[in-house]
Amino acid sequence: MESLLPYNHFENWIMALGVTVGSTALMYFVRCFAIRKTHQLAQRASTRLAEFVSKMLHTTYITFLLCIGVYLGSLFLVLPANYKIIISRIAVAALILQLAVWADAGLRAWRAQFMDTHGDGARKASSLIMFFMLRLLTWTVAFLMLLDNFGFNITTLVASLGIGGIAVALATQNILGDLFASLSIMIDKPFEIGDFIIVGDALGAVEYIGLKTTRLRGLGGEQIVFSNGDLLKSRIHNHKRMQSRRVAFNLRVAYGTPDAQMARIPQMVRDIVAARDDVDFDRAHFFRYGEWSLDFEVVYHFKSPDYNPHMDAQQAILLEIYRCFERERIQFAHPLSVIRVAEPSDPAGGWLPQSLAQREEVRH
């Protein structure tokens, strides 16, 4: 301490002390002001970000502010090089620890909010693993930065950790793949407990989302188990998130139906479908000459994703179309093929169509 006195006048010490106290008090005032404003914003707008920031600012410690204030005050003093290095490293260490504390507080606030909004135990278990890994990563990085700040050579340590991590990852790649897939399901939420999904040729309601597997309850009552990694590699159809159902079906009318009746069929179908309040009619068209039928395509949208009410509406529409066709004497087509067996007296090239044969007779 005596070595510092010859290089610094009394005014330097007063200035350093004033900057230290003033900067610390100013940072403390800014901290209190920011906490109050973010808390008011979180209550008024109910924004999660403001709530997270408020909780993080609450963990701003006076020790950190004082270390920064001492560093700023030391800039007004003439200090030996080793003193400057010690003060700067302490300030940087305080900053690293404070950043880690902020990150840890934000993760804990996120975890608490997640636990309040998600009730299923499997998703909570996955979230606990994820939050633990994120907190462990945060403090590991902070610890390595502290060691580097105080002059320790962490290159060998980081290299050994990297080699060990690669070895562990290779030995447990399937387990880790399913674990990270579980975290992806938890964060991205392609489906949740109770959703009805179709994966390939398997379909059922989701009843469990674990760290390694996801389980469905099939329509036949059986349990279908997927590994999370394989599940995310597949195309998933989530039927619970449908807002409406698009329904398309064909009507096959027999050949020989008069063209006047053919022209009335689209309007008849439109009137039947549009008469219902739970569906939106889209279109009805004569769209194809089939091998044994004249084909109409009908499309409408059912306003609810529920399957049973959709089938009730489909049944009512089809029955009403059937009754309408009976009244109009419009015949539905039945699959059939007409085979004509050639006789010895038939020409080698076959008989001409009837219309062409009549023309030949007129010509002769």
Side-chain angles (χ1 to χ4, degrees):
M1 187 66 182
E2 293 178 357
S3 63
L4 301 180
L5 296 177
Y7 303 100
N8 297 283
H9 298 290
F10 181 73
E11 292 82 1
N12 298 106
W13 287 102
I14 294 299
M15 180 66 70
L17 181 62
V19 170
T20 299
V21 175
S23 60
T24 304
L26 179 61
M27 287 185 291
Y28 184 78
F29 172 77
V30 172
R31 168 188 177 272
C32 296
F33 179 79
I35 289 175
R36 185 172 65 253
K37 288 299 183 182
T38 54
H39 182 68
Q40 293 175 354
L41 180 62
Q43 288 185 334
R44 182 172 61 253
S46 298
T47 58
R48 297 178 182 176
L49 180 60
E51 183 180 354
F52 290 166
V53 172
S54 177
K55 291 182 178 180
M56 291 168 61
L57 291 176
H58 271 93
T59 60
T60 305
Y61 296 106
I62 301 299
T63 305
F64 160 70
L65 303 179
L66 184 60
C67 289
I68 300 300
V70 170
Y71 172 75
L72 295 176
S74 68
L75 298 178
F76 293 87
L77 296 175
V78 179
L79 301 175
N82 57 340
Y83 279 52
K84 290 183 178 180
I85 292 175
I86 292 174
I87 293 176
S88 64
R89 286 182 174 178
I90 291 176
V92 172
L95 178 61
I96 292 173
L97 288 174
Q98 185 59 63
L99 291 174
V101 169
W102 281 339
D104 186 74
L107 288 173
R108 286 188 281 112
W110 183 19
R111 181 186 63 186
Q113 188 273 334
F114 188 90
M115 292 298 180
D116 291 338
T117 55
H118 296 79
D120 56 281
R123 193 173 294 277
K124 286 184 177 181
S126 300
S127 67
L128 289 176
I129 297 294
M130 183 193 71
F131 289 124
F132 173 76
M133 293 176 62
L134 290 176
R135 293 181 65 189
L136 179 62
L137 178 63
T138 299
W139 286 108
T140 301
V141 172
F143 177 70
L144 293 176
M145 292 177 67
L146 284 174
L147 292 179
D148 183 65
N149 176 62
F150 285 112
F152 292 94
N153 186 4
I154 63 171
T155 304
T156 305
L157 178 60
V158 172
S160 58
L161 289 176
I163 295 173
I166 292 173
V168 172
L170 290 175
T172 60
Q173 56 181 337
N174 291 332
I175 297 176
L176 291 177
D178 291 332
L179 175 61
F180 284 110
S182 171
L183 299 180
S184 177
I185 292 173
M186 182 198 68
I187 295 173
D188 194 46
K189 300 177 187 176
F191 53 84
E192 296 180 342
I193 300 294
D195 288 3
F196 187 88
I197 64 174
I198 299 177
V199 184
D201 58 350
L203 65 163
V206 180
E207 66 176 13
Y208 178 79
I209 303 174
L211 296 178
K212 184 168 179 16
T213 62
T214 294
R215 303 167 195 171
L216 310 183
R217 183 61 61 181
L219 295 180
E222 76 281 8
Q223 188 179 71
I224 308 172
V225 182
F226 294 93
S227 67
N228 291 326
D230 293 339
L231 187 61
L232 287 188
K233 293 177 184 177
S234 306
R235 296 181 183 272
I236 302 172
H237 301 263
N238 193 332
H239 282 253
K240 189 174 181 180
R241 296 183 182 177
M242 289 193 306
Q243 300 298 320
S244 61
R245 286 179 177 269
R246 182 182 183 273
V247 183
F249 63 92
N250 295 334
L251 295 175
R252 292 183 169 88
V253 179
Y255 275 102
T257 302
D259 60 345
Q261 289 183 323
M262 291 282 294
R264 289 202 306 271
I265 288 176
Q267 186 60 44
M268 291 162 48
V269 175
R270 175 190 292 271
D271 294 340
I272 292 171
V273 177
R276 298 185 60 89
D277 297 331
D278 53 357
V279 301
D280 289 327
F281 178 79
D282 189 351
R283 60 184 178 83
H285 293 97
F286 173 42
F287 80 107
R288 183 176 62 192
Y289 291 98
E291 293 183 0
W292 45 268
S293 62
L294 304 171
D295 297 340
F296 289 80
E297 185 178 49
V298 181
V299 179
Y300 68 87
H301 296 273
F302 187 67
K303 296 180 181 180
S304 171
D306 295 334
Y307 186 77
N308 288 343
H310 146 66
M311 289 305 299
D312 292 338
Q314 177 84 335
Q315 174 180 265
I317 290 172
L318 293 179
L319 286 175
E320 188 59 34
I321 292 175
Y322 187 84
R323 298 188 189 103
C324 185
F325 275 31
E326 278 195 331
R327 289 194 299 269
E328 298 291 331
R329 299 184 180 279
I330 300 175
Q331 291 186 354
F332 289 100
H334 301 283
L336 64 91
S337 297
V338 178
I339 300 176
R340 187 175 185 277
V341 180
E343 297 180 357
S345 59
D346 292 339
W351 293 99
L352 293 174
Q354 185 176 3
S355 58
L356 293 179
Q358 291 176 352
R359 293 178 186 176
E360 291 292 333
E361 292 178 358
V362 171
R363 184 179 301 174
H364 292 293

